[in-house]
Amino acid sequence: MRITGKNLIGFEWSAQSADTFQAYNPSSATFLPEEFHNATSSETERALQLAAKCYPVYSKLSPERRAAFLEAVCQEIINLGDTLLERAHVETGLPITRLRNERERTIKQISQFAALLKEGSWVNATIDTQTPFSLRKMYIPLGAVAVFGSSNFPFAYSVAGVDTGPALAAGCPVIVKAHPAHPGVSELTAAAILKAAQHTNMPEGVFSLLFDKGYAVAAQIVKHPVIKAVAFTGSQRGGMALHTLANERKDPIPVYAEMGSINPIVLLPEALKQNGAAIAAQIANSITTNGGQFCTKPGLIFALEGPELDQFLNYFQEQFSQTQPAPLLTKGIFENFVRLSDEATGLGAVTQQAVSTVVMDGENTAVPLFAQTDVATFLDNPMLKEEIFGPYSLLVTAKSLKLLKEAVLSLQGQLTASVFMTPDEWEEGGGMLALLQERAGRVIMNGVPTGVEVRTSMHHGGPFPATTYPFFTSVGKDSILRFVRPQTFQNWPEELLPGELQNSNPFGIMRRVNDQWTSAPVSTT
């Protein structure tokens, strides 16, 4: 399949700009031959205007039609076959097996939203007839949405991922600013969405893809009045820049930004005594899988000093030394990993506790590193609380649980937090659990944070600065709630109401009628 290197605006390819960039193969440290055109201001404006024109049409389409569109997107992604996987492997250095699983996860996510549309109760349709006038309420789409994908998930958090899927399901046109780390994958996926849109007769402007190696396109999109919400996954610096732009608008809009996390793990002694070897294997794998390039990688471990920890470290060092180095996603990510890990271990009271001894060549290959320090040093050095993206984690030890709690108290918001404890430690560790609940969107008992299930009960978000809006998740069916708002319809005639609120209930969905859930039609007598 040919890669054009052009921007996809509405149903057409466009490449006006002479300003180009190339994809980078991190495994071979070479640039790929295709040139991708940075979107011009006029191309960006055209995508925005098409989205504006599309919104009043697309937002009113029946749930069945939007579901058919999403199902067609899934099929077109499947039709790309190994071409998509191979391009992703070249552009990211991630193994084919991991990429195949991620592609399946992405298809599963989009399929879930198609099913959600058909089921229908997610709109929270509410009808009150026992009032002096008719009151009806449901969720309606916000408007056009801008999506900024991440570097580390070329499928699941990218062009057709956890943001685009629910936004399209909600009835919002989407403009994606492709991540420059995997532009070829972005173009292939965008072409699949385009083909699905045409086959299902979606209005032009329902989806556009724009390339930009820099920041001009991002600023133009976020500041434009057509855009009503932004979804972003990446660094705190990038997320806060978009958040600032959105709040400087005449009409501020939400920026749902996921901005990283160090995902602390607390280890209590009895758990280490009973299961030290198994816990060591879990944590070592969680830190280093795919080069430690997960937003849920545990970057911080808390433990009490003592013989249980000493034995655990013996197990851990053995496991960690056998972990395999991996090329990081981009040259910039690799350079940041080296710089930040060197700065951390360069502090006098921070020592290298374990390091991979597996030899693997490669210009961007990061050697897994596990460091150790004490609570006092951790509290005195704010940089030790910052995320180091890659296969690195820091162990912080203390002589008492009280000191460990002080360290946890110093943490900002996180996506996840974990604690390993036995039932005998529940009473002693209860206070620690309470502290972790205040700081994380997902708290895990006796498990590691990597491995995010695509389920309704999964909350992938957390208090600032892990995300900008801790109430919302970017994983699971509830992620659609980022792109809708409640609307009350008072005294509207039946024929003008959305189908979800009509007395006849043409979609057959569950609705809350006079505070009782039912799928039955509303009696007009």
Side-chain angles (χ1 to χ4, degrees):
M1 184 169 293
R2 186 168 63 93
I3 296 177
T4 68
K6 299 177 182 178
N7 298 285
L8 172 58
I9 303 171
F11 290 159
E12 299 178 352
W13 298 103
S14 177
Q16 298 178 8
S17 174
D19 187 13
T20 63
F21 67 96
Q22 293 170 274
Y24 181 76
N25 183 332
S27 298
S28 62
T30 58
F31 287 96
L32 300 178
E34 300 89 357
E35 291 187 338
F36 294 85
H37 293 256
N38 292 320
T40 64
S41 177
S42 61
E43 287 175 320
T44 304
E45 180 64 24
R46 173 161 170 74
L48 289 159
Q49 292 305 322
L50 282 173
K53 184 178 180 181
C54 169
Y55 170 69
V57 179
Y58 181 64
S59 63
K60 298 298 191 296
L61 293 182
S62 69
E64 286 84 357
R65 286 198 61 191
R66 296 206 302 273
F69 172 34
L70 295 180
E71 289 169 343
V73 169
C74 293
Q75 187 57 55
E76 293 300 336
I77 292 175
I78 292 171
N79 291 346
L80 290 171
D82 290 344
T83 298
L84 185 65
L85 298 178
E86 291 164 0
R87 181 72 190 198
H89 173 63
V90 170
E91 289 188 334
T92 67
L94 295 171
I96 291 290
T97 300
R98 143 72 199 272
L99 292 167
R100 182 176 290 110
N101 291 337
E102 186 186 331
R103 181 184 61 180
E104 292 307 308
R105 167 183 165 170
T106 303
I107 292 167
K108 177 182 177 182
Q109 289 172 159
I110 299 173
S111 298
Q112 284 183 346
F113 287 110
L116 187 69
L117 288 172
K118 293 177 180 178
E119 188 273 334
S121 65
W122 73 274
V123 300
N124 198 26
T126 307
I127 299 174
D128 284 305
T129 63
Q130 299 170 351
T131 62
F133 35 76
S134 171
L135 284 177
R136 302 173 188 233
K137 183 175 74 171
M138 63 177 284
Y139 292 139
I140 65 169
L142 279 178
V145 171
V147 170
F148 297 83
S150 69
S151 62
N152 57 332
F153 283 91
F155 306 141
Y157 285 77
S158 187
V159 173
V162 298
D163 301 320
T164 298
L168 291 174
C172 300
V174 171
I175 298 175
V176 173
K177 207 287 283 184
H179 198 288
H182 40 75
V185 172
S186 298
E187 182 177 305
L188 289 170
T189 309
I193 298 174
L194 167 64
K195 186 177 291 188
Q198 292 176 315
H199 286 173
T200 54
N201 296 312
M202 292 297 108
E204 186 176 20
V206 69
F207 176 86
S208 293
L209 176 80
L210 300 173
F211 292 115
D212 188 18
K213 181 74 171 178
Y215 308 101
V217 168
Q220 184 177 349
I221 292 173
V222 174
K223 291 191 292 186
H224 202 285
V226 165
I227 297 299
K228 301 304 180 184
V230 174
F232 168 87
T233 302
S235 68
Q236 184 173 346
R237 178 181 177 185
M240 290 309 298
L242 296 179
H243 184 68
T244 299
L245 286 172
N247 280 281
E248 289 173 347
R249 290 172 42 141
K250 184 178 180 180
D251 59 330
I253 58 172
V255 174
Y256 300 111
E258 180 193 316
M259 301 182 291
S261 180
I262 52 176
N263 307 298
I265 293 179
V266 177
L267 306 175
L268 294 187
E270 189 61 27
L272 293 183
K273 182 178 180 180
Q274 294 184 17
N275 300 296
I279 294 171
Q282 285 185 68
I283 295 177
N285 183 67
S286 188
I287 293 169
T288 59
T289 295
N290 291 145
Q293 297 171 107
F294 289 133
C295 54
T296 53
K297 179 209 71 177
L300 188 61
I301 317 293
F302 293 115
L304 292 172
E305 296 175 8
E308 297 87 0
L309 178 60
D310 294 339
Q311 183 61 55
F312 165 80
L313 286 175
N314 288 335
Y315 294 133
F316 186 86
Q317 288 164 346
E318 181 181 355
Q319 289 284 339
F320 202 80
S321 66
Q322 299 172 34
T323 59
Q324 186 168 330
L328 300 192
L329 291 157
T330 69
K331 187 174 182 64
I333 290 174
F334 172 76
E335 290 173 347
N336 280 335
F337 171 79
V338 172
R339 176 178 60 82
L340 293 173
S341 59
D342 283 350
E343 288 178 5
T345 55
L347 295 173
V350 177
T351 59
Q352 291 189 16
Q353 180 61 236
V355 65
S356 172
T357 58
V358 178
V359 177
M360 183 174 176
D361 295 329
E363 185 174 326
N364 299 298
T365 298
V367 177
L369 175 62
F370 187 69
Q372 180 176 347
T373 193
D374 56 77
V375 164
T377 302
F378 178 76
L379 292 174
D380 289 342
N381 292 273
M383 68 165 294
L384 296 179
K385 301 180 182 69
E386 296 178 6
E387 180 184 22
I388 297 179
F389 195 66
Y392 169 91
S393 191
L394 176 68
L395 171 66
V396 176
T397 62
K399 297 184 182 298
S400 69
L401 190 60
K402 179 182 177 182
L403 289 173
L404 280 189
K405 288 180 179 178
E406 287 183 21
V408 171
L409 275 168
S410 73
L411 296 178
Q412 293 182 298
Q414 308 292 326
L415 293 173
T416 77
S418 309
V419 58
F420 283 84
M421 65 168 71
T422 66
D424 291 339
E425 294 171 308
W426 286 356
E427 182 176 353
E428 183 182 20
M432 180 66 75
L433 279 173
L435 292 179
L436 295 176
Q437 282 184 280
E438 293 173 4
R439 285 160 179 78
R442 176 165 58 110
V443 180
I444 303 147
M445 288 280 285
N446 296 320
V448 292
T450 43
V452 180
E453 288 290 323
V454 185
R455 301 287 182 179
T456 305
S457 54
M458 173 59 66
H459 186 80
H460 191 63
F464 183 86
T467 63
T468 44
Y469 291 93
F471 178 83
F472 295 97
T473 179
S474 62
V475 171
K477 295 177 182 177
D478 286 348
S479 64
I480 198 173
L481 299 179
R482 295 172 295 169
F483 308 118
V484 296
R485 64 177 179 86
Q487 174 98 77
T488 290
F489 301 78
Q490 182 170 329
N491 283 345
W492 279 49
E494 171 85 357
E495 57 269 26
L496 295 183
L497 284 169
E500 292 89 343
L501 295 178
Q502 291 177 10
N503 292 333
S504 60
N505 193 12
F507 301 135
I509 66 173
M510 291 295 293
R511 308 183 298 183
R512 195 166 53 196
V513 179
N514 298 322
D515 292 328
Q516 299 294 320
W517 285 99
T518 177
S519 60
V522 174
S523 173
T524 57
T525 60

